[in-house]
Amino acid sequence: MEKFEHAIVNPISSLNLLSRAEIEALTNTRGDLFDLFRRCALAILNTDSSKDDAAEIYADYSDFELRIVPQSRGLRLELFNAPPQAFVDGRMIRGIQEHLFACLRDIIYTDIKMAPESFSVQSDATNTVFRILRNANVVRPDVPPQMVVCWGGHAIPRNEYDYAKEVGYALGLRGLDIVTGCGIGAMKGPMKGAALGHAKQQVKDGRYIGISEPGIIASESPNAIVNELVIMPDIEKRLEAFVRLAHAVIIFPGGVGTVEEILYLFSILMHPDNAHSLPVVFAGPDNCAEYFQELEAFLVASLGEGVREHYQIILGNADHVGYTVRKVVQDQQARRRRLQQAYYFNWELVITKDLQVPFVPTHANMASLDLHAELPPHQLASELRRAFSGLVAGNVKTFGIEQVRLHGPYQLRGEPRLLRQMDSLLQLLVKQQRMKLGEGEQDYVPCYRIVD
Amino acid sequence: MEKFEHAIVNPISSLNLLSRAEIEALTNTRGDLFDLFRRCALAILNTDSSKDDAAEIYADYSDFELRIVPQSRGLRLELFNAPPQAFVDGRMIRGIQEHLFACLRDIIYTDIKMAPESFSVQSDATNTVFRILRNANVVRPDVPPQMVVCWGGHAIPRNEYDYAKEVGYALGLRGLDIVTGCGIGAMKGPMKGAALGHAKQQVKDGRYIGISEPGIIASESPNAIVNELVIMPDIEKRLEAFVRLAHAVIIFPGGVGTVEEILYLFSILMHPDNAHSLPVVFAGPDNCAEYFQELEAFLVASLGEGVREHYQIILGNADHVGYTVRKVVQDQQARRRRLQQAYYFNWELVITKDLQVPFVPTHANMASLDLHAELPPHQLASELRRAFSGLVAGNVKTFGIEQVRLHGPYQLRGEPRLLRQMDSLLQLLVKQQRMKLGEGEQDYVPCYRIVD
Amino acid sequence: MEKFEHAIVNPISSLNLLSRAEIEALTNTRGDLFDLFRRCALAILNTDSSKDDAAEIYADYSDFELRIVPQSRGLRLELFNAPPQAFVDGRMIRGIQEHLFACLRDIIYTDIKMAPESFSVQSDATNTVFRILRNANVVRPDVPPQMVVCWGGHAIPRNEYDYAKEVGYALGLRGLDIVTGCGIGAMKGPMKGAALGHAKQQVKDGRYIGISEPGIIASESPNAIVNELVIMPDIEKRLEAFVRLAHAVIIFPGGVGTVEEILYLFSILMHPDNAHSLPVVFAGPDNCAEYFQELEAFLVASLGEGVREHYQIILGNADHVGYTVRKVVQDQQARRRRLQQAYYFNWELVITKDLQVPFVPTHANMASLDLHAELPPHQLASELRRAFSGLVAGNVKTFGIEQVRLHGPYQLRGEPRLLRQMDSLLQLLVKQQRMKLGEGEQDYVPCYRIVD
Amino acid sequence: MEKFEHAIVNPISSLNLLSRAEIEALTNTRGDLFDLFRRCALAILNTDSSKDDAAEIYADYSDFELRIVPQSRGLRLELFNAPPQAFVDGRMIRGIQEHLFACLRDIIYTDIKMAPESFSVQSDATNTVFRILRNANVVRPDVPPQMVVCWGGHAIPRNEYDYAKEVGYALGLRGLDIVTGCGIGAMKGPMKGAALGHAKQQVKDGRYIGISEPGIIASESPNAIVNELVIMPDIEKRLEAFVRLAHAVIIFPGGVGTVEEILYLFSILMHPDNAHSLPVVFAGPDNCAEYFQELEAFLVASLGEGVREHYQIILGNADHVGYTVRKVVQDQQARRRRLQQAYYFNWELVITKDLQVPFVPTHANMASLDLHAELPPHQLASELRRAFSGLVAGNVKTFGIEQVRLHGPYQLRGEPRLLRQMDSLLQLLVKQQRMKLGEGEQDYVPCYRIVD
C-alpha cells in the first residue's frame, strides 16, 4: 500500500495565532484531543476514498503518525505514512490542508476555547451549534439566503451520482450554495455540479460546505471540493447545524441513514410551532420512482396525510429541481425579511430536547420505543428516528454490531400496520442494495425483528 | 427550434465607458463592424453547441436579430430569437454575457480605437497582437509563467475528451492556467478538468483563456468555462497570440487543422534564432499510439531527425503529463528570469513574415509550393503549413471548397518521398475519422492530388 | 543646493506593459515627447515646492537628467540630480512615483496610442478629453456623484489655506472626493482636509485628483496627496476636464487666473442650453467679504443680474460649505438619474468652440476683443475670459511678458462702465497682493491700459 | 450644552452575529456590563474632547441614555442626549461607530465569551492579553514588524503637539504603524502625522491602534483617527498589551503618568532575561532639553549607568526620529526572524508578577515601598513605578485624592539621594506645568512628602 512517508505542513494563517496555553493543552495536557485530531486528520487525508469502513481505514493506516510541533510563532504538523492522494508532486493539496486546519480549529474551539461545561447542558445545544459555526465563519451577516442542504446515500449507483451532479449544476447556475455531509456519492455530486455552474456564472466565491462529526468522518472522508469544513462535536449537533443553516433541503435516495435524517427533519417540520419553515424536495432520476413511492407510503402510513404538505417529489429533470429550489429559497428570503428573521441561522425553528439528546441503541432502549400512530406526528417521527438510528448502529456502528452479536436482533414493538410498512420499506432498501453488507456476505441479514 | 425571443442585456461595467464617437461608429457609420459583431455574437450565444458547420448555424438562426441601443450612460444590447442555452430562468448566463462584451470590446479596440492602418503593415503584426491582448487584460505584469496552450481536434472520441479532462485536472492541481481555441473537444476538456483541479487547490482566479477569430468562431463556439475571451482579427494573429502567450504547448490528436498548427509551431521552433524557446508535449490516451507514430514519421521525414528535440510524446498517464508540463514551465520561468525576458509575452520569439501573411489557397498558390527537404527545416515547415492550410480550406472553408469544385483537386508538387509520407498521414486521419465529411458522404473524397 | 544624485525607478506595474513600438517611440524617434516628459518629471519631483517660477525651477535643476532605460520586460527610469524632497531614506515616495508614471502614461496615450490627428480637430475636443480620462481610469462607471472641483489661488495667506483645509475636512466627512489643479494653496488645502475627514469616516478609497497640463505643471508642482494625476495636453482640455467631471465647484479667492476660470465657467453655465447644470459655491474665510463683494459687483455689472442664479457665496463656516455642497451634489445625482445621464462625465454640457480654441494674447487679439454688455452674457463671459487670459499671460507667461515689453501695455476697448468695473476688481487684486510681482518689484505695474 | 437628542445605530456587521445567550446576558442578566458599556460609550462619543476630568464629563452628560435593542437578527443601539461631535449631518461618524462596537466586542469577549475566571489567575495575564488582542484582530500573522508605540502627555503645549505630528509623519512615510493610548496630545499627534505620511506613500491600510481601559477612557477619549480600538480590562493589561505589541517605543514628554510608564518599561527591559528586547527613543522638540536632562539624571541616579543602554534621546529633527526608529525596527525584525519569534506578539518578554498585579495606593502601601539603590535595577524600577502610580492617584484619581485628604501627603521613605533626585524631577514637572492642578488652584500642592 503506497503511503506518503513524511510531510511537514504549515498552518493556514489564522491557526498561527494560538496562545501558548492553547498549544500546551493540545500537545501535552489533553491527550484525548490529540487522539481525536489524529483520527479526524487521517479521515481528511483519505480524501475521496470510496472505502466507508472506518475500522478498515484505521487498520490500513495503523502506522500513520501525526505530530504537533509547537513553535514560537505557532505550530506546525508533521505527518508520517499518510494517504498519498492528499498530495500532488510532494505538496499537500491546498483544499486538504485547509480541511486539516479547519478540523484543528474546531477541536480547539469546542474543547479548549469554549468553556466545555457550557454545552453539556442540553438547553444550550443551539447556542453551542451557533458558536461553533460562527467561529468557523460559516454564519455570515448580510449574505442572502442561498444555502441548499443536500442529503442522500454515499454508496449510490453511477446514474444517481450523475443525476446529483446535474442537480448541483442547476443549483450552481442559479447561484445557490451547497451544504452536505461532505463525503462522496450524494454528498459530492451536488458540489461538483455546482462548481461547474458557478464557473459559468463567474461566481468565484461559491460555497461548498461540509459538516461532519468525529464519529462519522472516517466513513465519509471529506471530498476535496468542500471549501468550508466544520466538525461538530456529535451527530445531533451536526443535524441541527444542517437544518438551522438550510434555506431548502434536497433529499436524494439513500439507505437507513438517510431515512433517519428524513425522520429527524419531519419531526421538526411537523412540530406545530414550525409551520412552513423549511422547504423540502425529494429528487432522483426517473428510475427511482419505486423508491420514492415506498418511502412516501411509509411516511403517510406513519405520520399521516399531513406529511405531504412538507415536501414535493421531483423525478428526473434536474433543471426543474434547480428552478423549484431557487423559487422556494426566494420565498424563504421574503418570509424571513418580512418576519425580520436572520438569514444566516434559523433561530426560530423549535427543536425539541428528544432530538438534541443522543439515543443509545441498547436492546432495552429499542424495545421501549413507542411506535404508535396515536402519537402526534412530530413525536412519532422522533420515535421512529430513534428506531432507524438503532438500525444504522446495528448495521454499521461498532457499538450496535456488538449489541446484536450478544443479544440477537433488536426487537421492535408497536402498531402492526406501522411496523409492516416500515418492514416493507426496509426490504426495498435491501433489494435496491442500499444496505451495507458485511464483508463476504451475499445477503443482508436483518439486525431487527418485528414483534407483534 | 426553440429560441429565446427577446432579451435586453446590460454591459459589463467597463463597456459602459464608451465615448460618444465610439458609440456612433458602432451603431451608425460602420455597418461592417455591426455585421461582424452580429455573427460573433450568435456564435457566442450558441455556446457548447456541437454543431461546427457555420453556414448551418447562420441558417438556423437567420431570424436572430441584434440591436445596439445607445444610451446616455453607454449602450445596451437587445436580442431577438437567440439560442436558448445562453439563458437560465430568463437571464443570460454571466459567462456568456462577459463573452458578448469581450467580443464587442475587441472589435471596438481593433477597428475603432487602434488606428486601423497601423496593423495593416506586416512588420507591425506582433505589436498589434500585443496591443489587443493588453487591451483585453490578458497580458499582465508580475504573474508567474503558468499558461499552457492546448491544441487538438474539436470533434474527438469520448475517450480522448475524457483524457483531455484528466490532463486539465493534472494541470489545474499544479496551478497552471489553460489557453485554447475556446471551442469544444480538446479545447474544452482541459479547461473543465483544470477548473476542478483549481477548486481542490482553492485557486479562485484560475484562467481559462479562449482565443478565437471571426472566421472560425461560429464553428468553434466558445464554451462557457472560458473566463477570458479574446477575438483576434485573423487566424495568423490568433496563432501568434497562442505562441507568444504560451509557457508550454500540449497537442492532443486532431485533424488537418491540428497538423497545420503543428507545422506553424515547428516552423518557429526550428528557426535558428529560437533555440529551446518553447516546450511542446504531444499527449493522448494509450490507444493513440498509431496516431503519434504516423505523425512523428511524417515530421522526421520532412523536417529531419532534429525535429525530435522539440517535443516529447506521452501516451496515457495524464498525471505524468501534468508533472512534465509543470517542470518545463518552471524551466521556462528560470530561463526568462535569467535572460530578463518578460513572463507575459514572448517578445524574443522570431516569427518570420511568411507565417504572419495570410496564405490564399488558389490552385496556383498550392501548385507553386516548394516542398523539398533541401530547404532549411523551418522554411519547409512553413511551406508545408501552407499546404495543410490549403487542405483545410479545400475540406471545410467556403473559398477552398469552391476552388476545388471549379478546378478539381489541388495539385501538390515536390519531393516524392516527402509527399508519400504526407499522403500516408492524411490517410490515417481519414481512417481515424478525423477528416470532416460533407453532408451525406460516407467516404472522404480527397481535395488534393500528389503529382510526381 | 542639495540634490538626489542618482536613482533608478521601476514602473508601477501597468506601465510595464508597453509594446516595443511604444518604447521605441519614447526613447528614440520622438525626442519632443522625451523633452516634454523630462520637464513634467522635474515638476513632479519638485513636489510641494512653493516656488512657482518655472524658469527658475528649470534653471535650478539644469543638471537634472532623466533616462528611459528600455528593458526586455518594459522600461525603467534613471534620474540624476533630482529634487531631494521626492525621496525618503533613499527611496522615492510612492505617491511621487505614481505621479511620474501617470505622467508617462498620459504622454504615451495622448501622443502615441491615440492617433494624434484625431484630436487636432476641434469638434473632437470632448471625445479626446474623455478618452484621456478613461485611459487614466479617472472616469469610472457605477460610482455615485461625489466629485467636488476646488479652484482658487496657489499663493494665498495662511488663514485662507487653513480655511480651505477646513472646507476639505467638511467635504471628506461627507464622503466627497476632491479634484483640483494639483498644486499648493487652495489646490492642496481641500485635499489635505478631506484626507483627514475620510480617515475619520474610514473611507479608504478617497480620491484626490489633480489635473494639470505641461504648460503649468512646473509652476504648480503636484502635491503628494494627489492620488490620481492626469496630464491633459493643453489648458483648454484641462478646464473642460474639470467641468465635465464636476458634480459641484467650490471657488476660493485667487488672482487673475482664478478670475479667468470663473469666466470660463460662467460662459458655460449661462449658455441657454446648460440651465442649472452645475452648482457653484464661492467660499472664503470671513475676512474675504470685500473680495467677494468686488468680484460679484464685476460679475453683475458685466453679465447682468442673471448671473446671481448660478452661484452662492458662503463666508466662513466651513462646515456649512460642506453641508451645502453635499446637498447640491445629491440634487445633481437625482437630476442625472432622472434624465438618465452618466454620473461620471457630463456629456450633456454644451461647451462652445470659442472656449475650446486657445486664445493667443497678441496686442491685435487683445485690442479686438468685443467687451460690450449687449452681447449675450455667455458670449461676453467668453470674451472677458480671453481678456483675463491675456492679463495672466502679460503678468507671468513668457510669451505675454515679451509682447508687453515690445509693444507696451495691452489696450482694452469696450463699454466704459464695464471696463471701469474690471479695473476696480484688478486694483483690489493688487491691493490684496493676489497679483504676482516680478523679482525685486515693490509695486504691481499693470500690463494693460483701458482705452475709452 | 448642545446634545444629539436621539440616534439609532446599527452594528458593524460582525457584531450582528451574537448568539441569543450573549444578547440575553448583555441586556438582562449582567447589569454591571451594561453600566460599563454606557460609561465607555459616552467617552467614545465625546471624541477629541480636550476635557480630561471624567467626573465632569459624566456630570455634563448625566442625561445621556443608551439602550441595547435586541433584534431577531442581532442588536442595535439607541442613544439619547449624546455628545454632538460624534455626528455629521445627523449620521454618526463611521470611525466613532466602529469604536462603539469595538468596545462592545471587547466587553462581550472579555466578560461573557471568555470564561471570566480564567483571567483572574495572575499567571494567566499574558494569555488573557493575547486572547483579547486576537479577538480584536489586532494581532495578525504574516505582517512584518512595524508597530511603534508612542507614549507621552495628553495635555501638552502646541509646539510639542506639532512635533509629535512631525514624528508621526516621518514614521508614516516609512510605512510604520502607530499604537497609543488613543487620547489627544502625544497620543493623537503621531497618528495624525502618520496618516498624512501614509497617504503620500499610498498606504491604504495604515494602522492607528488605540488601547484603552475602562478606568481611563473617559479622561482620554479616543480620537477619531484611531481605526482599531481595544478596551483592555485594566491598566496592567493595557500596559502589557503595549509592550508585547511594540517593535519600538517612542516616549514624548509628559507628566507623572508618563514617568510611571517609563519605569514600568525599564523594569521590564532591565530584567536580566530581557536583554535588548525592545528599542526605546525619547523624543521632543529642541526646547525639551531640560526635561530630558532631568529625567535622565533621575533614571541614572536610581537605576544606575546601565540604564543608558536601553534608550536614546533625540531632540528636534523629527525626520531623524523616523529614520532611527525604522532602523531599530528592522533590527527587531532580523532578530525575531533569527530567533524564530513571532512578529505579532512578544511572547518572549519576561514580565514579572509585581508588574501584573495592581498597586493600591494606600498610605501604608506607599510608606512600605522599598526605595533603595541596592535593589537590582529592574526591581527598583518596579518599586519606583508604584511610587509614581501613587502620585498619579494622589493627583487625579478619586481614590488617591480621598486618601490624601484624610491622611495628609503620602510619606515616601528610602535612600535620601534617590528621593532628592525624584523630588527634583517632580519639581521640574510642576515648573513646566505638566502636573494637573485642581480647579481654581494657582500652584501645585504636592501630595507626597519625603521622609529622611
Side-chain angles (χ1 to χ4, degrees), chain A residues 134-277:
Chain A
R134 177 178 64 184
N135 182 63
N137 196 26
V138 165
V139 288
R140 297 177 190 170
D142 305 331
V143 176
Q146 52 194 27
M147 291 242 195
V148 181
V149 166
C150 296
W151 284 341
H154 70 278
I156 52 175
R158 179 80 206 180
N159 79 310
E160 293 183 19
Y161 177 69
D162 287 342
Y163 177 80
K165 270 209 302 193
E166 281 166 43
V167 168
Y169 175 66
L171 299 171
L173 278 180
R174 287 161 175 93
L176 297 164
D177 292 319
I178 309 294
V179 187
T180 80
C182 91
I184 57 169
M187 289 172 276
K188 180 176 180 181
M191 290 182 171
K192 199 164 173 180
L196 185 61
H198 286 151
K200 289 195 177 185
Q201 290 288 13
Q202 311 273 1
V203 171
K204 291 201 167 187
D205 50 358
R207 302 178 71 182
Y208 318 109
I209 300 174
I211 302 180
S212 194
E213 52 103 359
I216 198 75
I217 192 168
S219 328
E220 296 181 353
S221 277
N223 72 73
I225 299 168
V226 167
N227 60 9
E228 298 181 45
L229 176 67
V230 192
I231 313 292
M232 302 302 294
D234 55 48
I235 180 70
E236 282 73 22
K237 294 192 181 56
R238 185 193 189 205
L239 287 171
E240 184 163 345
F242 280 128
V243 298
R244 294 211 188 265
L245 287 176
H247 302 110
V249 180
I250 299 175
I251 302 172
F252 297 102
V256 279
T258 301
V259 179
E260 183 190 352
E261 290 171 331
I262 292 168
L263 290 163
Y264 173 87
L265 182 59
F266 285 162
S267 176
I268 294 170
L269 296 184
M270 298 185 85
H271 188 287
D273 296 348
N274 290 331
H276 306 296
S277 44

Side-chain angles (χ1 to χ4, degrees), chain D residues 130-146:
Chain D
F130 178 79
R131 291 173 71 190
I132 295 173
L133 294 173
R134 177 177 65 184
N135 182 63
N137 196 25
V138 166
V139 288
R140 297 176 190 168
D142 304 330
V143 176
Q146 51 194 28

Side-chain angles (χ1 to χ4, degrees), chain D residues 120-182:
Chain D
S120 62
V121 188
Q122 283 312 319
S123 68
D124 235 1
T126 303
N127 275 315
T128 300
V129 167
F130 178 79
R131 291 173 71 190
I132 295 173
L133 294 173
R134 177 177 65 184
N135 182 63
N137 196 25
V138 166
V139 288
R140 297 176 190 168
D142 304 330
V143 176
Q146 51 194 28
M147 291 242 193
V148 181
V149 166
C150 296
W151 283 341
H154 70 277
I156 51 175
R158 179 79 206 181
N159 79 310
E160 292 182 20
Y161 177 68
D162 287 343
Y163 178 81
K165 271 210 301 193
E166 281 166 44
V167 168
Y169 174 64
L171 298 172
L173 278 180
R174 287 164 174 89
L176 298 165
D177 293 320
I178 309 295
V179 186
T180 80
C182 92

Side-chain angles (χ1 to χ4, degrees), chain B residues 13-14 16-22 71-74 109 112-113 115 117 124 127 130-131 134 139-142 336-344 347-348, chain C residues 13-14 16-22 71-74 109 112-113 115 117 124 127 130-131 134 139-142 336-344 347-348:
Chain B
S13 61
S14 66
N16 240 330
L17 294 174
L18 293 180
S19 76
R20 299 230 153 153
E22 289 156 5
Q71 305 214 286
S72 183
R73 298 194 203 190
Y109 184 74
I112 302 179
K113 290 194 194 173
E117 63 278 15
D124 235 358
N127 275 316
F130 177 78
R131 291 174 68 190
R134 178 179 62 185
V139 288
R140 297 177 190 169
D142 306 330
R336 295 205 188 171
R337 197 188 314 111
R338 198 177 64 243
L339 300 175
Q340 297 221 301
Q341 297 177 354
Y343 289 161
Y344 49 79
W347 286 106
E348 280 70 18
Chain C
S13 62
S14 65
N16 240 331
L17 293 175
L18 295 180
S19 77
R20 297 230 155 154
E22 289 157 6
Q71 305 214 283
S72 184
R73 297 196 201 188
Y109 184 72
I112 303 179
K113 291 193 192 173
E117 62 278 15
D124 235 1
N127 274 316
F130 177 77
R131 291 172 70 191
R134 177 178 63 184
V139 289
R140 298 177 189 168
D142 305 332
R336 295 205 187 171
R337 197 188 313 110
R338 198 178 63 244
L339 301 175
Q340 296 221 302
Q341 297 176 353
Y343 289 161
Y344 50 78
W347 285 105
E348 280 70 17

Side-chain angles (χ1 to χ4, degrees), chain D residues 19-263:
Chain D
S19 76
R20 298 229 153 155
E22 288 156 4
I23 293 177
E24 176 72 10
L26 205 59
T27 49
N28 292 331
T29 56
R30 295 283 308 270
D32 59 325
L33 296 186
F34 180 77
D35 287 344
L36 177 63
F37 179 48
R38 183 188 168 279
R39 269 180 298 126
C40 291
L42 179 55
I44 286 167
L45 296 168
N46 195 32
T47 180
D48 276 333
S49 164
S50 61
K51 235 179 224 180
D52 60 1
D53 185 327
E56 206 180 325
I57 294 160
Y58 292 134
D60 287 349
Y61 286 97
S62 59
D63 58 350
F64 168 69
E65 263 188 74
L66 176 71
R67 289 187 199 149
I68 296 177
V69 187
Q71 305 215 284
S72 184
R73 297 196 201 188
L75 55 76
R76 57 192 202 184
L77 301 179
E78 220 173 338
L79 310 175
F80 299 87
N81 304 314
Q85 69 264 43
F87 300 85
V88 172
D89 298 353
R91 293 188 53 191
M92 189 174 287
I93 293 174
R94 175 84 184 183
I96 308 298
Q97 191 184 358
E98 297 211 336
H99 292 174
L100 217 49
F101 287 98
C103 174
L104 194 52
R105 171 203 68 207
D106 291 339
I107 289 173
I108 290 171
Y109 185 73
T110 305
D111 295 302
I112 303 178
K113 290 193 193 174
M114 284 208 298
E117 61 279 15
S118 80
F119 68 90
S120 62
V121 188
Q122 283 312 319
S123 68
D124 235 1
T126 303
N127 275 315
T128 300
V129 167
F130 178 79
R131 291 173 71 190
I132 295 173
L133 294 173
R134 177 177 65 184
N135 182 63
N137 196 25
V138 166
V139 288
R140 297 176 190 168
D142 304 330
V143 176
Q146 51 194 28
M147 291 242 193
V148 181
V149 166
C150 296
W151 283 341
H154 70 277
I156 51 175
R158 179 79 206 181
N159 79 310
E160 292 182 20
Y161 177 68
D162 287 343
Y163 178 81
K165 271 210 301 193
E166 281 166 44
V167 168
Y169 174 64
L171 298 172
L173 278 180
R174 287 164 174 89
L176 298 165
D177 293 320
I178 309 295
V179 186
T180 80
C182 92
I184 57 169
M187 289 173 275
K188 181 177 179 182
M191 289 183 170
K192 200 163 173 183
L196 184 61
H198 286 151
K200 291 197 176 183
Q201 290 287 11
Q202 312 272 1
V203 171
K204 292 199 168 187
D205 50 0
R207 304 178 70 183
Y208 317 109
I209 301 174
I211 301 180
S212 193
E213 53 103 1
I216 198 74
I217 192 166
S219 329
E220 297 181 352
S221 276
N223 72 73
I225 299 168
V226 167
N227 61 7
E228 300 182 44
L229 176 67
V230 192
I231 313 292
M232 302 302 295
D234 54 48
I235 179 70
E236 283 73 24
K237 291 192 184 55
R238 185 193 190 205
L239 288 171
E240 184 162 348
F242 279 127
V243 299
R244 294 209 188 267
L245 286 175
H247 302 110
V249 180
I250 299 177
I251 302 172
F252 297 101
V256 279
T258 302
V259 178
E260 184 190 352
E261 290 171 331
I262 292 167
L263 290 163

Side-chain angles (χ1 to χ4, degrees), chain D residues 7-18:
Chain D
I8 288 175
V9 191
N10 283 308
I12 304 303
S13 61
S14 64
L15 250 284
N16 240 330
L17 293 174
L18 294 180

